[in-house]
Structures are given as structure tokens and as C-alpha cells.
Amino acid sequence: MRVALFVTCVNDLLYPGTGQATVRLLERLGVSVDFPAAQSCCGQPQFNTGYRHETEPLVRRMAAAFEGYDHVVTPSGSCAAMVRDNYPRIGARAQGEGRGGELARAGASLAARTYELTEFLVDVLGVTDVGAYFPHPVTYHPSCHGLRMLGLGDRPRRLLEAVEGLELRELPGADECCGFGGTFAVKNPDVSAAMGRDKTGNALSTGAGLLCGADNSCLMHLDGILRRTAAPMRTVHLAEVLASTREHPYAVPEAATGADTAAAAHIATESAGKIR
Amino acid sequence: MSTTYLGLPTFPQAAASATKDTQLRANLRHATHTIRAKRAAAVAELADWAELRAAGAAVKDHTLRHLDHYLLRLEAAVSAAGGTVHWAADADEANAIVTRLVQETGESEVIKVKSMATQEIGLNEALAEAGIRAYETDLAELIVQLADDRPSHILVPAIHKNRSQIRDTFRDRMAQWGRPAPEGLSDTPGDLAEAARLHLREKFLRAKVAVSGANFMVAETGTMVVLESEGNGRMCLTLPETLITVAGIEKVVPTWQDLEIFLQTLPRSSTAERMNPYTTTFTGTTDGDGPRTFHLVLLDNGRTDTLADEVGRQALRCIRCSACLNVCPVYERAGGHAYNSAYPGPIGAILTPQLRGTGTPLDASLPYASSLCGACYEVCPVAIDIPEVLVSLRERVVEGGEVTRAGVRTTIRPAKGHAAERAAMRAGRWALDHPAAWGATQRLATRTRRLHPRRLPGKAAGAWTGSRELPELPARSFREWWRQREEQAGGTAGRGPGAKDGQQ
Ligand code: SF4
């Protein structure tokens, strides 16, 4: 089984820890994983902002970079959804515009082999207990792409529930969007921030100190709000939780103390006032 | 749509003020969350919901593909039943036709059934210019009209108001439009409804002309179908002498059997009811029963142009249930007015820029009024992939390209104000397509990270840092970590699967 890590451009530059955790986790489970250096970005920001033609070279690059691998694993729901939902679409549009079927074939081939991390663990490897140890209360934000486009369902929850020591706290309004939305976050900053504050407010109300997710772009937005408002919570990628063991435990940031629920509700209101 | 919207604020501008209106946010949050939960329960009752949804989409797609055929069939059936069919290419034509029809009756007042199509064309304003007063009879439309406000929701136009605001409107404004509100009016729903009932009853009994829309038009028999909750529609459709129905051409369905699907999906999606309280069907005219004259105005107003767009045409399946508004996190925070169109929310964000075009800053901003979270697509009873259409309209905005306007294929230029973004996207794509450059950019970024300010200047950067911290840049990228790890292990990583197996 030839497995490649598609780390995603956001993780590569901003969250290398998530990529490293994914590698550690997969190797611990006996999977030898490769990182093809020719990969860069799946083109999601370009495509979702309307630059379909700018996306096409990136589709080609991605397809070439992962040629020959049986499984391409990515710790990002939205990038997995980009490849799986939109690559075939981009190929079909190019074909419809009379530019041949090459792009469609390349995209379809990669789409069929691309897995979001929790899918790969549960569906391909057939594990839910990955032998992790994480003795902290955590609340989980499922993210729209994982929830609605990929249909990850209860995979993340099953993985989290099998983690030794972890206490999973129910996130109110879990299925609501966090407000990141790629360029939406800067094109509609006020609505985006309002959505984000509602999400962090709900997360804080659980009293947990860590908000876990499977998509660092959403977490970047939420963590940015939590830090701006000096809230006692930080975000953590699911891969880091699953990679954590007794021997090599995850280092919880000092600020992620959590709060009791009454104080948390107060903080949520306070923090809303602090943001202009 | 004919009106010029050049001076209106863009969506982000209008939404910015809405997010600061705490009363509005609270009203909208309460209303949308309540109906959201009820809809989910009503839909969950049907074991065959997925099939109904697929069937609804298929019937609409089939009808749209043969729209000319079914419209002619409808016209023949309506005429045979004693009605008269008028064809309106745009809003101005439709308004002129309705104005003339009212004038021919000699009346200067009409009562109205809640209708999206007449709002889209600005019929009330057009009638007012001709000295004809149009009275809205739907409770929420009445509230909006009395308050001199604009609707903010397809189904619940006064969703942005709470009951004490409504009480104040009734108390202060009803007298100017007819029967005043009762003395000492309270803000209980029962009292408010009674005040509206007394106020409207006078108008129903007096009016000689009514204007309605139609939820569906059945081609095989020429039958109009109106669904409503209050019974005011039924009054308008039965009491007056002349009835004028204005409906978009996409409202036609071939047969009664097709209608059966939508009578199941529409009420559950919109009001979370198994069946709506009033379903009125009427076919032409009948001696001694109901209106003696019936006119049907078939409205195009950009619909045929929309039909020409392969991705965008699915917006014409819409049955205006408003489920997509109720689940939309952006609508919930921005409110309906920010969309500046008869059609707010997700459906408005894909319909308005197709009907009106993307020529104004407002209309060009609408396809971006979404985080693409997909909640709208999930609930839509006719499976309109709203995120897909949004992205395709964004392409039209930033890249321009071929569109159909007024039946003519034309090439439009990219919308103004995207030049810097386009350049950045190109540069970014170039760097991402050349890993050496991408690696160098990363190294530069990570090594200079201590120098980066916490709040960035510039419009896009400021939009981020206004409410959020920037992520802290790590000391080295993943790529660098991997390279160093492989070097230590003496491996040859990253040259493809073949390299590892020694085949290359
Ligand atoms: S787009 Fe779909 S969900 Fe929205 S109003 Fe139309 S039919 Fe209803």
C-alpha cells in the first residue's frame, strides 16, 4: 500500500505540527507514508473565489505529484472535499469548453484515491482506537466540509471517544458554520466574525479548554478570535490529539485552561464586546 | 429587474451595520432557529423525503427543458377556461399591463395576495405612480407596508420585527391606510391578529380588483395554485370581480400529478406543516362563482436568460419555500435587507445576480455573501446546489465571460474592483505551481516571522486582523521538517512512489 501525505499549503506553512502529527500517527499504525515534494495547494482558494482557470494548473500539479500512490491522505476536510467534489467538476467544465478530457481524467483519478484523515483511519485501516492518550476535556467542531460535503458522520467522534483519558464535551450548535469560508473571512469580515464569535461562545460554554477540529483553516479563524479575546481556550487539530501518547503527550498551551460554564458564558459576552 | 440599483450599498457594507443591530440579531436568531428545528422535524416524518426531493428536481428540470411547450399549453388551457394570458418580457412590461388592466376596470384600489413576483417587479410602486393604491393583505406584508419598510424574508417578510414593534406600527399607522387600530392595543399575537382582521375585512368587502401571484400553474388544465396560511389570499381570490395573477414563467408544472410532489415538500419546508391551511386552486372563470374576469401575466424578466446558463439554471427550480434562508448563518447575521432584492438569503444570492446581472457593485457582491457552508443545499426541497451556483457566479464576476442578456449572447468583462485580487491570485497560483518559488516564499516568511506586525495594514489584511489574531508563523515549514528528517534518515523522500521502490 503506497500512501502519500497531502499536507495542504496551510498546514505546510502555518501548521507543520499537524502534518508531523499525521505522520507520527500513521507510522505508529504501521503505515509507511511518503511526502511528495511536488505538491503545493489544491486550488481551493482560487476556485471558491471564482478563478476556475487559475485553478487548472494546480489540479494538474496535484494529479502529477500523487501519481502512482494508492491512497492520498490529508488532514483537511475542505481540501479533501475540493479534490473529491470540485476536481471532477473542473475537468467536466474544461471538457465542455472543448479542451479535451485530460484534466477530467487527471482529476477523477486523484479524487478516487483521496481520503480525509478520519476516513482513511476508519474506512481504510479499519481502526477507531488508535492507541492515543489525551487526558483533557475537549469539544469538537465538525466543520462544514467534513459534515456536509464529505459526510464524515460519526467517524471523528468514534476516534475521539476511543482516546484514553479524553472527555468529549457536546458542542451546542455543532453543525453551524464557524464563519471562516476562505476569502469570505475577508470579503465579509463582519458577518464572518459574528459567526466566529457565536461558535467560540458555544465552545467556551462547554468549559473545555480545547476546541478540536479536523480543518486548520477553520481553526485558524477560531483560534484568532479566542486569542484576540484572551479566552481560556485554544484550538487543536484532531491529528494532534490522535498522535498524542503517554510517552509523547501533546503539550497543551498554557492559556487553554477552560472555564466553568457560568464564567464561560460571561466571557463569551465580554469578548463579543471587545471586538470592533 | 428594471430599477437601477447603482447607489445601493454592497452586501458587506449593509451587513456590517446589521451585525451591530443587537435587536435585529436577536429577532432573527430566535425566528430562524425556531423554524429550523420545526422544519427538520416535519421533514423527518417522511420516509421518502430523499425521493420526493429528487422527483421535485426532476419535474422542474424536465419542465424547464420544455418550457416553451408547457407555457403554450398553459396559455391554451387558461384561454379555454375563460381567462386571458399576457406575456411580459420584463418588469416594465408587466407593470404596464397590470396598470392598464386595473385602469380598464375604472378602479383606483386593488387588494393583493402576498406575491414575490410583484415585489420583484415593483408593482406597488408602479401602480402608485398611476394613482392606484395597492393594499397588501398578508399579515406580515401588511406590517411591512404600514411601517413603510421593506420585506426581509420570502415567507415571513416582517421577521426582523418583534411583536411590540408590530404593535407600535399598527397603533401609529393603521389609520392612514383605513380602519384604525383598536384603542389600547396590546402586543399579544391574538390582539394583533384581530386588529389586522378588522382593518383588512373592510378592504376585502370593498375591493373590485385583486392581484395575486401563483405558487404553481398546472399546464394541463390552466389552473393556478396558491398556498397560504391565513385565508386572506382566499378572500382576495374569491371576492373581487377582476383577478389579475402575475407569475414567473418557471412556475408552470405539467400535470396535477406533478403538483402532488410539491404539495408535500413545500409546506414542510416553509412553515414546517404537513399541509398548509389554505390551498386555493382556480381555473379561468366560472359563472356565478368568484371573479368574472381573470388575467394571467406571465413574467420573464431575466428567466429565459438564466435558463441559458448551464450551472445557474437550477435556480429556476426554486419553489420559494425559504428553507435556505432559515438555515443560512449569513442570513441570520446580516438580515434580509442587506441583499437589497425581493429575494434575500441564499436563493437571492444566486437568483438576483442572474435576473439583474452582475453589473452593479451590489449585485456583484451577492455571490460572495456566503461561506459556502452548504446548509442551504442540504435543506433545499428541489436540490438546488446553491454553493455550486455561487462559485460559478463568482467566476462570472472575476473572470467575465459569455452570458445571455435579453436573449442575446454577450461577453461581459470582469467586474470592477477585482484587479488587485486577480493579480494576487495569479501570483499565488504561479508560486504554488513552482515549488521552488513556493519553498523560498515559505522560508522567507518563516525566517522573518519575528518582524511581522500583529495587525496588518491594507484592506484584506485589516479585514482579518480587525477581529482576529493572525496565526503565529512556525520556525520551519512542514516541508523543511520533512526534508531534514529524510536527510537524517538518509532517505530519498518526495520523488514519487517509484523513487522509494528504486524503480526510477
Ligand atoms: S432555493 Fe430551495 S430552499 Fe431556497 S427557497 Fe428555493 S426551493 Fe426553498
Side-chain angles (χ1 to χ4, degrees):
Chain A
M1 182 165 73
R2 288 167 182 167
V3 178
L5 171 67
F6 163 36
V7 78
T8 82
C9 62
V10 167
N11 289 328
D12 188 4
L13 178 63
L14 298 172
Y15 299 100
T18 296
Q20 291 160 19
T22 309
V23 172
R24 274 206 310 282
L25 171 65
L26 291 176
E27 287 180 347
R28 194 174 79 216
L29 294 171
V31 178
S32 120
V33 56
D34 197 8
F35 175 74
Q39 64 180 285
S40 60
C41 169
C42 65
Q44 187 183 187
Q46 291 81 359
F47 183 74
N48 280 352
T49 314
Y51 297 89
R52 175 167 58 92
H53 292 104
E54 291 293 326
T55 316
E56 290 180 354
L58 298 174
V59 176
R60 270 186 214 102
R61 159 162 296 282
M62 285 281 290
F66 293 107
E67 185 63 49
Y69 288 97
D70 302 315
H71 299 96
V72 179
V73 183
T74 181
S76 163
S78 62
C79 300
M82 172 69 192
V83 173
R84 284 237 293 267
D85 286 3
N86 290 329
Y87 277 23
R89 238 174 222 164
I90 293 166
R93 293 289 295 275
Q95 210 159 8
E97 288 164 0
R99 289 185 285 123
E102 163 260 336
L103 199 62
R105 276 190 299 276
S109 160
L110 183 56
R113 292 176 285 127
T114 299
Y115 295 83
E116 188 272 339
L117 177 62
T118 67
E119 290 176 323
F120 184 73
L121 294 172
V122 176
D123 302 352
V124 180
L125 299 184
V127 289
T128 42
D129 184 350
V130 297
Y133 174 69
F134 199 90
H136 314 282
V138 161
T139 189
Y140 183 76
H141 169 52
S143 276
C144 306
H145 286 89
L147 195 68
R148 282 179 278 268
M149 280 118 219
L150 295 177
L152 294 184
D154 64 356
R155 289 181 188 86
R157 162 180 292 273
R158 280 159 63 200
L159 288 161
L160 284 170
E161 280 173 351
V163 173
E164 190 190 346
L166 186 142
E167 185 203 334
L168 185 59
R169 298 209 179 150
E170 216 54 54
L171 175 66
D175 59 350
E176 285 171 40
C177 177
C178 72
F180 172 66
T183 46
F184 175 76
V186 289
K187 282 183 184 285
N188 279 284
D190 298 275
V191 178
S192 166
M195 288 161 68
R197 285 194 300 268
D198 288 346
K199 180 61 74 182
T200 54
N202 280 334
L204 285 163
S205 78
T206 67
L210 289 165
L211 171 55
C212 180
D215 214 314
N216 271 333
S217 32
C218 304
L219 296 185
M220 172 172 76
H221 159 74
L222 295 171
D223 201 58
I225 292 174
L226 289 167
R227 285 192 289 133
R228 173 63 55 85
T229 54
M233 174 176 259
R234 289 295 176 267
T235 56
V236 59
H237 193 283
L238 180 65
E240 308 251 20
V241 174
L242 299 180
S244 171
T245 57
R246 275 184 192 274
E247 297 73 40
H248 302 284
Y250 176 76
V252 175
E254 260 175 42
T257 55
D260 67 70
T261 36
H266 173 70
I267 289 161
T269 349
E270 280 283 286
S271 57
K274 268 191 213 158
I275 302 177
R276 71 173 160 88
Chain B
M1 300 182 193
S2 62
T3 333
T4 342
Y5 289 84
L6 267 172
L8 291 174
T10 62
F11 182 84
Q13 290 165 345
S17 48
T19 57
K20 291 180 188 80
D21 184 339
T22 46
Q23 178 72 63
L24 175 71
R25 287 272 302 274
N27 292 357
L28 275 173
R29 186 184 157 76
H30 175 73
T32 55
H33 281 246
T34 309
I35 186 75
R36 209 179 277 183
K38 285 192 186 160
R39 185 215 74 98
V43 164
E45 280 183 353
L46 292 184
D48 60 346
W49 182 259
E51 288 82 4
L52 282 169
R53 186 174 183 247
V59 165
K60 282 284 183 177
D61 282 352
H62 167 85
T63 316
L64 289 167
R65 205 154 42 236
H66 307 283
L67 194 55
D68 48 349
H69 166 76
Y70 288 113
L71 286 172
L72 290 173
R73 232 180 130 172
L74 176 77
E75 181 184 38
V78 170
S79 309
T84 313
V85 176
H86 310 260
W87 300 80
D90 57 24
D92 289 345
E93 271 188 38
N95 287 332
I97 293 167
V98 177
T99 307
R100 176 174 53 79
L101 292 173
V102 177
Q103 281 166 342
E104 281 169 10
T105 66
E107 293 295 313
S108 60
E109 283 183 354
V110 301
I111 49 173
K112 280 190 72 201
V113 186
K114 177 173 164 28
S115 133
M116 297 307 301
T118 59
Q119 234 174 66
E120 174 189 323
I121 60 176
L123 178 66
N124 290 8
E125 294 75 13
L127 289 175
E129 271 177 39
I132 300 162
R133 217 163 188 202
Y135 298 112
E136 294 291 350
T137 65
D138 171 84
L139 178 54
E141 289 287 356
L142 171 73
I143 294 164
V144 168
Q145 186 173 47
L146 290 175
D148 204 9
D149 199 348
R150 287 179 298 136
S152 67
H153 189 278
I154 291 178
L155 195 80
V156 202
I159 196 168
H160 56 291
K161 294 197 177 285
N162 63 20
R163 33 184 233 211
S164 74
Q165 291 170 315
I166 294 168
R167 191 261 327 270
D168 294 350
T169 299
F170 279 9
R171 191 189 53 208
D172 302 343
R173 310 296 292 270
M174 262 184 175
Q176 295 165 38
W177 288 79
R179 183 177 170 141
E183 277 297 309
L185 179 65
S186 83
D187 68 357
T188 60
D191 279 4
L192 294 174
E194 182 60 14
R197 186 174 290 127
L198 293 170
H199 179 83
L200 288 170
R201 184 76 31 126
E202 268 191 13
K203 300 195 158 54
F204 291 133
L205 295 173
R206 199 174 63 213
K208 298 276 192 293
V209 184
V211 176
S212 87
N215 293 97
F216 304 97
M217 307 183 284
V218 185
E220 63 177 348
T221 52
T223 305
M224 306 290 118
V225 184
V226 172
L227 276 59
E228 45 137 2
S229 299
E230 296 166 4
N232 295 337
R234 176 78 53 90
M235 301 266 204
C236 293
L237 298 169
T238 49
L239 290 173
E241 288 165 10
T242 300
L243 175 58
I244 305 166
T245 297
V246 182
I249 50 175
E250 82 284 16
K251 296 283 160 213
V252 66
V253 294
T255 65
W256 282 81
Q257 186 157 15
D258 299 318
L259 183 65
E260 179 233 330
I261 301 163
F262 304 109
L263 291 186
Q264 294 181 73
T265 53
L266 179 51
R268 286 179 197 261
S269 299
S270 59
T271 47
E273 290 166 305
R274 292 174 181 156
M275 191 184 169
N276 47 289
Y278 294 87
T279 302
T280 307
T281 66
F282 51 101
T283 310
T285 55
T286 309
D287 282 341
D289 181 15
R292 266 166 290 174
T293 314
F294 171 63
H295 295 278
L296 172 61
V297 182
L298 290 172
L299 176 71
D300 187 318
N301 207 30
R303 285 161 175 76
T304 309
D305 293 344
T306 304
L307 205 49
D309 187 295
E310 272 178 46
V311 179
R313 65 170 64 132
Q314 55 185 308
L316 296 176
R317 288 184 203 149
C318 176
I319 54 173
R320 312 279 188 264
C321 72
S322 68
C324 58
L325 278 68
N326 297 330
V327 292
C328 179
V330 175
Y331 173 86
E332 182 189 327
R333 273 100 188 164
H337 291 159
Y339 297 80
N340 263 302
S341 158
Y343 305 108
I347 181 60
I350 60 168
L351 196 56
T352 309
Q354 297 200 80
L355 297 181
R356 291 204 300 227
T358 47
T360 68
L362 165 66
D363 292 339
S365 75
L366 288 176
Y368 292 93
S370 166
S371 62
L372 304 179
C373 82
C376 48
Y377 177 35
E378 194 175 51
V379 297
C380 177
V382 284
I384 300 173
D385 191 340
I386 294 177
E388 182 191 20
V389 181
L390 285 166
V391 169
S392 139
L393 289 170
R394 290 175 184 188
E395 183 181 327
R396 190 184 288 185
V397 170
V398 297
E399 290 190 347
E402 282 225 314
V403 296
T404 307
R405 303 304 308 163
V408 184
R409 226 42 207 150
T410 37
T411 303
I412 56 162
R413 297 175 52 78
K416 287 204 185 77
H418 289 268
E421 179 187 276
R422 199 173 308 118
M425 284 287 174
R426 274 201 195 126
R429 194 269 297 153
W430 185 87
L432 290 164
D433 199 15
H434 294 80
W438 170 230
T441 314
Q442 283 189 333
R443 279 192 296 280
L444 181 70
T446 50
R447 295 206 176 126
T448 57
R449 71 190 201 281
R450 299 278 165 248
L451 309 172
H452 297 172
R454 280 180 70 232
R455 292 181 197 224
L456 293 178
K459 216 169 137 219
W464 181 274
T465 54
S467 54
R468 293 156 285 217
E469 294 296 316
L470 287 165
E472 278 161 20
L473 264 178
R476 59 181 178 171
S477 66
F478 176 83
R479 180 177 300 268
E480 268 192 82
W481 172 81
W482 179 270
R483 194 172 47 77
Q484 286 163 13
R485 190 177 97 127
E486 291 297 302
E487 272 169 17
Q488 280 158 19
T492 50
R495 301 218 190 107
K500 266 210 155 165
D501 290 345
Q503 292 161 354
Q504 283 180 344

